[in-house]
Amino acid sequence: MTPRTTVLSAAAHPLAAGGASEHRTLIITLFSVFVAATLAITIWAGRQTKDATDFYAGGRSFTGFQNGLAISGDYMSAASFLGIAGAISLYGYDGFLYSIGFLVAWLVALLLVAEPLRNSGRFTMADVLAHRLKQRPVRTAAGTSTIVVSIFYLLAQMVGAGALVALLLGATGEGARRWIIVLVGLVMVLYVTIGGMKGTTWVQIVKAVLLIAGTLLITILVLNKFHWNLSTLLGRAADASGKGRAFLEPGLQYGKDGTSKLNFVSLGLALVLGTAGLPHILIRFYTVPTARAARKSVNWAIGIIGAFYLMTIALGFGAAALVGPKAIIASNESGNTAAPLLAQQVGGGAGSTGGAILLAVISAVAFATILAVVAGLTLASSASFAHDLWANVIRKGRTSEKEEILTAKLAAIVIGAVSIALGIFAHRLNAAALVALAFAVAASANLPTILYSLFWKRFTTQGALWSIYGGLISSVTLVILSPVVSGNPKALFPGMSFDYFPLGNPGLVSIPLGFALGWLGSLLSRPDPDQEKKYAELEVRSLTGYGAH
């Protein structure tokens, strides 16, 4: 084995490189402490959960600041901490575009969705649609869309979890990653079934504080390495990348040809518009007592998330400069372990006690990130199934709150099982890229329907169904036919080739199609009964909150 190969192997399995069993013990201890602490919070919160409002909306008892922290914890996922750091470390400037897109998206959520959605609905997105449209068909469509978007997003968290824990424990082979994904799935189901929204929210708050603190620590250590000179950091990263100045300029990943330029536009469109249609973000607006608190929580979230994404510059370019793209790829081909490897490096390097401690702490924070986000996603999708599909479509309103909550818990188990099964096959993909697909589906199916319902008087039930199903089917179909699923070594099925759609993100086609279908379906159908009256009522609700809760 050459010295070069030895270095790469050490980076890929840092604990093996050190060979110190106490480091592994330290990591397992930290993980165990965190999981035990969050499960204790979940059990405590579960005892406070008395009815459906507690289970779905945390009793609407959280302040704007608390909900802002929880939104941050829900939003800053494995894609943010692991995927974006990896994308920047491998693609430089183009990788940082994820950070910009994720942050700018909050302006859409703040200006168009947060306050009117909080005022108009009760527990889910479908509550808003069902007020002015035919209840059973729109709840069926909205519930289906919510579950599909949540599973796409869950897939990214499972990929991040598998890469992270495999790195920590020096686990090799797909078998080890499968067991890790199963473990994460079981824990997330426990969070939801025991704690409901209250437990999930407190876990997200704790996770947000830990993530910001951990990221700030790494940022300080990285900048200190380069004497607080950002230009020196960027220059060193460019040199270590092997790409030179091109690493700091647009075009390394996007812009090489016409297809990659279109792919960039598609990605940007999905990131900017997707947040306002994400189910696990939308339900967070129902956990506060007033619309003013909802607006305040989004303001807090923008500040916290903005600070975090600024620090991803240090995470990504620091990993490129200090760890190196080759070592990062050797550890995980999509770059998902760049941030933990950077933590180990600034702590003293592989084999050192300081490196092991910092690797363990940052990885525990990343694991906290994954657990908090998967809990929120599972809760959103299981709540939509129980409240929209079961209680209002299948049972036609003839159900008790106890039965509805039990159904939500059973749905959480099923959704967790599906996510585990899909996550086992998706470990080759970058977590940030997977989340971008979820954003595209949300922006194609959910956002047009929400905006039309809130702001267009002529919108009809047929328009809603065309918009949701059209956006959902087109986006998922284009993902299946894209290079993400087949046609290259990093695809979901690398041995197959049916990548007929050239773009890695479907947003450029499916998002305009979702809006167009909603418009066309409304124009080609008769207005719903009492359409003007119901729209006037919804308009009053969206401005005042009167009658919604």
Side-chain angles (χ1 to χ4, degrees), residues 50-53 122-123 399-406:
K50 307 298 182 185
D51 55 22
T53 302
R122 187 163 175 244
F123 297 136
T399 182
S400 64
E401 285 194 350
K402 185 176 180 181
E403 179 186 337
E404 193 173 322
I405 293 172
L406 177 61

Side-chain angles (χ1 to χ4, degrees), residues 94 97 250-264:
D94 283 10
L97 294 173
L252 198 59
Q253 185 176 13
Y254 305 107
K256 296 177 182 178
D257 52 37
T259 300
S260 63
K261 289 177 182 177
L262 288 175
N263 202 31
F264 166 68

Side-chain angles (χ1 to χ4, degrees), residues 80-81 84-85 88 96 99 215 219 307-317:
S80 300
F81 192 55
I84 291 178
I88 295 173
F96 185 60
S99 293
T215 307
T219 299
F308 171 79
Y309 283 134
L310 279 176
M311 290 188 287
T312 59
I313 297 174
L315 292 179
F317 287 107

Side-chain angles (χ1 to χ4, degrees), residues 215-428:
T215 307
L216 181 61
L217 173 62
I218 297 300
T219 299
I220 291 171
L221 292 174
V222 168
L223 291 177
N224 189 57
K225 286 266 187 185
F226 296 95
H227 308 291
W228 297 87
N229 189 320
L230 189 59
S231 295
T232 304
L233 166 60
L234 296 177
R236 187 78 62 82
D239 292 340
S241 71
K243 304 292 190 303
R245 189 159 185 82
F247 193 69
L248 305 178
E249 297 175 348
L252 198 59
Q253 185 176 13
Y254 305 107
K256 296 177 182 178
D257 52 37
T259 300
S260 63
K261 289 177 182 177
L262 288 175
N263 202 31
F264 166 68
V265 175
S266 188
L267 172 67
L269 196 63
L271 294 181
V272 171
L273 297 179
T275 295
L278 290 174
H280 68 299
I281 298 298
L282 296 178
I283 65 170
R284 292 238 52 88
F285 298 139
Y286 299 126
T287 64
V288 290
T290 64
R292 183 182 179 186
R295 189 169 61 251
K296 186 182 291 185
S297 65
V298 175
N299 287 331
W300 275 110
I302 289 174
I304 295 166
I305 293 166
F308 171 79
Y309 283 134
L310 279 176
M311 290 188 287
T312 59
I313 297 174
L315 292 179
F317 287 107
L322 298 174
V323 181
K326 291 182 180 179
I328 292 168
I329 293 171
S331 172
N332 181 272
E333 57 192 319
S334 295
N336 292 324
T337 55
L341 287 173
L342 174 64
Q344 177 186 247
Q345 189 64 34
V346 295
S352 68
T353 301
I357 291 173
L358 205 53
L359 172 68
V361 169
I362 295 303
S363 297
V365 169
F367 195 62
T369 295
I370 291 165
L371 291 178
V373 174
V374 296
L377 287 162
T378 308
L379 180 63
S381 50
S382 61
S384 185
F385 177 84
H387 181 65
D388 296 325
L389 298 178
W390 178 260
N392 287 290
V393 175
I394 298 172
R395 298 279 287 158
K396 302 179 183 178
R398 297 188 299 270
T399 182
S400 64
E401 285 194 350
K402 185 176 180 181
E403 179 186 337
E404 193 173 322
I405 293 172
L406 177 61
T407 303
K409 292 179 178 181
L410 293 174
I413 296 172
V414 174
I415 291 164
V418 172
S419 303
I420 290 169
L422 291 175
I424 287 172
F425 296 101
H427 66 87
R428 296 180 185 87

